[in-house]
Amino acid sequence: MNKKTLNEDTMFQQLRAMEYAVRGKVVIAADVIHDELVKNKNSNSKYPFDHIVYTNIGNPQSVGQKPLTWPRQVLALVDLPDAVGVHHPLAEQMFPKDAIQRAIEIKTCLGCGDGSSGAYSHSQGNICFRQDIAKFIEDRDGGVPCNPDDLFITNGASAAIGYVLHALIANNKCGTMIPIPQYPIYSATLDLLGGHKVGYMLNEKQGWDCTMEQLEKSLQDAKDQGINVNSFVLINPGNPTGQVLPKESVRDIVRFCAKHNLVLLSDEVYQENVYDENAEFYSCKRAAFDTGLLERDAIELFSFHSTSKGVFGECGRRGGYMELTGIDKGVHDQLYKLASASLCSTVSGQIMTSLMVRGPEPGDESYESHEAEKAAVFESLKRRAKIVSDGLNNIDGFACQPAQGSMYCFPSVQIPPKAIEEAQRQGVTPDTMYCVSLLQKTGVCVVPASGFGQEEGRYGFRTTFLPSEEEMQRVVQQIQEHHEEFVAKYV
């Protein structure tokens, strides 16, 4: 066979070096086992379980969360041709009136003859949907103005983050401050672009908060190495850590970024997922307003949100947005060019984003049922957060901070020295070996903490709490039983 022109030696090497832990080694192994279980479902299996419990990624509907009814009704009516949808003579017998009216409104906004959702939109997203988002942001932030022209609707928050990092990493001397631990899209994209990852450590014993002393030290250390640090990532509520930062911590971070002329990337996709009654989400934009930075035009801020999280869990729709605050007009134009190269984000995702930020109004036919469905999802997530964080924290050898928000727990796990030696012999991290063992013994698929970054000598994993409450109770029990067996093996 002739040697291929494009091969692993000739391809872009930074792509080879890029790693994305939430779909890494353990998940690949889980998919192989899943296929074996499906193939051999009517015969004896070599595994002591009959299915994989995927707790590796925040993908709610893949593990049983039901879609909310009203948004799907509206989206279905928008997608259907008028004659069999909004103008069907029996439409009001099949759909609530407010869903029909919202679908008609959306189709009018889309234009293109009968308002087809199959046509390209403006590259920043349809203006009607951007106006809905702007109103949502203004209401959330107590009236702080939001200009729809400063919004980009994107294929989830991930695409928006990619756009911004492409603009920031001008050369191989540029660096971005990222939390440790962090969501791997940041480290992976920085590796791909050839940028520097400048980690700032979150304090696990202080509920994954950060201190100004730590931030100043991380920044100065990077500068001493000749890195041009031009940006800062904040994930709040936290992924993978589940913390919700207090207001003063958020204010400190916006002041820190303004002081050092750092562009702030505020990942706020879990803003609806706050379970601790003593915590609340506080946006970086509102913090910038409250500290006077907005008035002085002293902050450069990108804020991100998504339909994938919250209570919608519509990951596959790829809906999300970013807001530009205090960003240079020329950079805005170049980001528009970058978005234009992909023509537009998915229109179904744009519609779902609009429906997320603007639901039925009080008094509408669907209002009470929609709010009840949202509340049921939220309250179950709140219960699951406690089931998992408390359950893991009660396992001997585990320590797990309470999940104040988001969809994850990030426990530390004491791994015996002999297991660490065995992992070194295998050429993998100790927590990777641990997670593969957990998968093979229980069918529970988690992500090694090493994929998110952590202090030297710490081991653990990230797990979601998205499967059902009953399933998560079983998962916690299985994790405990596996840990006792694993420790006994390597004692």
Side-chain angles (χ1 to χ4, degrees), residues 61 65-79 95-96 98-100 102-103 106 307 311-314 317 347-360 366-367 369-374 377:
Q61 293 184 23
Q65 180 174 310
K66 293 181 179 179
L68 300 176
T69 303
W70 180 81
R72 288 296 188 93
Q73 290 173 323
V74 176
L75 190 59
L77 286 164
V78 173
D79 282 342
F95 295 94
D98 54 352
I100 296 171
R102 185 64 175 273
I106 289 171
T307 63
V311 295
F312 269 56
E314 292 280 3
R317 298 291 168 187
V347 173
S348 63
Q350 293 185 41
I351 295 168
M352 191 60 72
T353 305
S354 169
L355 298 174
M356 177 183 72
V357 300
R358 183 184 145 217
S366 301
Y367 177 76
S369 60
H370 182 63
E371 292 300 312
E373 286 184 18
K374 288 168 58 181
V377 173

Side-chain angles (χ1 to χ4, degrees), residues 12 14-15 18 157-172 174-176 185-186 188-195 230-231 233 263 265 302 304 322 331 334-339 341-342:
F12 183 45
Q14 286 161 209
L15 176 56
M18 180 181 115
S158 300
I161 291 164
Y163 290 164
V164 176
L165 289 175
H166 269 82
L168 283 165
I169 306 304
N171 54 56
N172 61 10
C174 294
T176 299
I185 190 173
Y186 297 101
T189 307
L190 288 167
D191 285 343
L192 181 65
L193 297 173
N230 63 10
S231 46
V233 171
V263 177
L265 285 67
F302 293 92
F304 309 100
M322 67 175 172
V331 172
Q334 295 304 317
L335 289 172
Y336 177 75
K337 179 174 69 176
L338 186 57
S342 299

Side-chain angles (χ1 to χ4, degrees), residues 10 15 75-76 85 88 104 147 165-166 174 179 198 230 262 268 272 280 330 347 351 402 426 461:
T10 63
L15 176 56
L75 190 59
H88 189 279
I104 291 172
N147 185 344
L165 289 175
H166 269 82
C174 294
V198 179
N230 63 10
L262 300 177
E268 301 174 347
E272 288 187 71
E280 65 175 301
V347 173
I351 295 168
Q426 293 181 19
F461 57 81

Side-chain angles (χ1 to χ4, degrees), residues 247-248 250-252 254-255 258 282 284-296 299:
K247 287 185 177 182
E248 194 53 42
V250 180
R251 292 185 189 122
D252 284 344
V254 298
R255 291 189 191 104
Y282 182 61
C284 281
K285 184 178 180 183
R286 179 58 193 260
F289 174 82
D290 289 343
T291 53
L293 296 172
L294 281 189
E295 185 179 2
R296 302 198 308 270
I299 189 78

Side-chain angles (χ1 to χ4, degrees), residues 46-116:
K46 63 181 180 181
Y47 300 103
F49 48 85
D50 59 7
H51 69 288
I52 300 294
V53 183
Y54 284 100
T55 66
N56 62 294
I57 193 168
N59 191 13
Q61 293 184 23
S62 73
V63 288
Q65 180 174 310
K66 293 181 179 179
L68 300 176
T69 303
W70 180 81
R72 288 296 188 93
Q73 290 173 323
V74 176
L75 190 59
L77 286 164
V78 173
D79 282 342
L80 285 169
D82 288 355
V84 293
V86 293
H87 295 323
H88 189 279
L90 300 179
E92 291 189 8
Q93 296 181 28
M94 296 182 286
F95 295 94
K97 292 180 180 179
D98 54 352
I100 296 171
Q101 289 304 312
R102 185 64 175 273
I104 291 172
E105 177 190 327
I106 289 171
K107 290 167 83 70
T108 301
C109 289
L110 292 174
C112 304
D114 69 346
S116 175

Side-chain angles (χ1 to χ4, degrees), residues 166-227:
H166 269 82
L168 283 165
I169 306 304
N171 54 56
N172 61 10
K173 292 186 180 298
C174 294
T176 299
M177 295 185 69
I178 59 175
I180 301 298
Q182 52 92 38
Y183 180 56
I185 190 173
Y186 297 101
S187 55
T189 307
L190 288 167
D191 285 343
L192 181 65
L193 297 173
H196 291 273
K197 304 183 292 286
V198 179
Y200 64 92
M201 199 67 65
L202 303 180
N203 190 320
E204 184 169 6
K205 293 180 180 179
Q206 294 182 3
W208 298 111
D209 204 347
C210 60
T211 65
M212 290 304 101
E213 292 78 12
Q214 173 65 45
L215 297 185
E216 293 286 357
K217 184 180 185 305
S218 296
L219 177 59
Q220 189 59 52
D221 288 349
K223 287 182 176 180
D224 291 345
Q225 297 172 39
I227 299 172

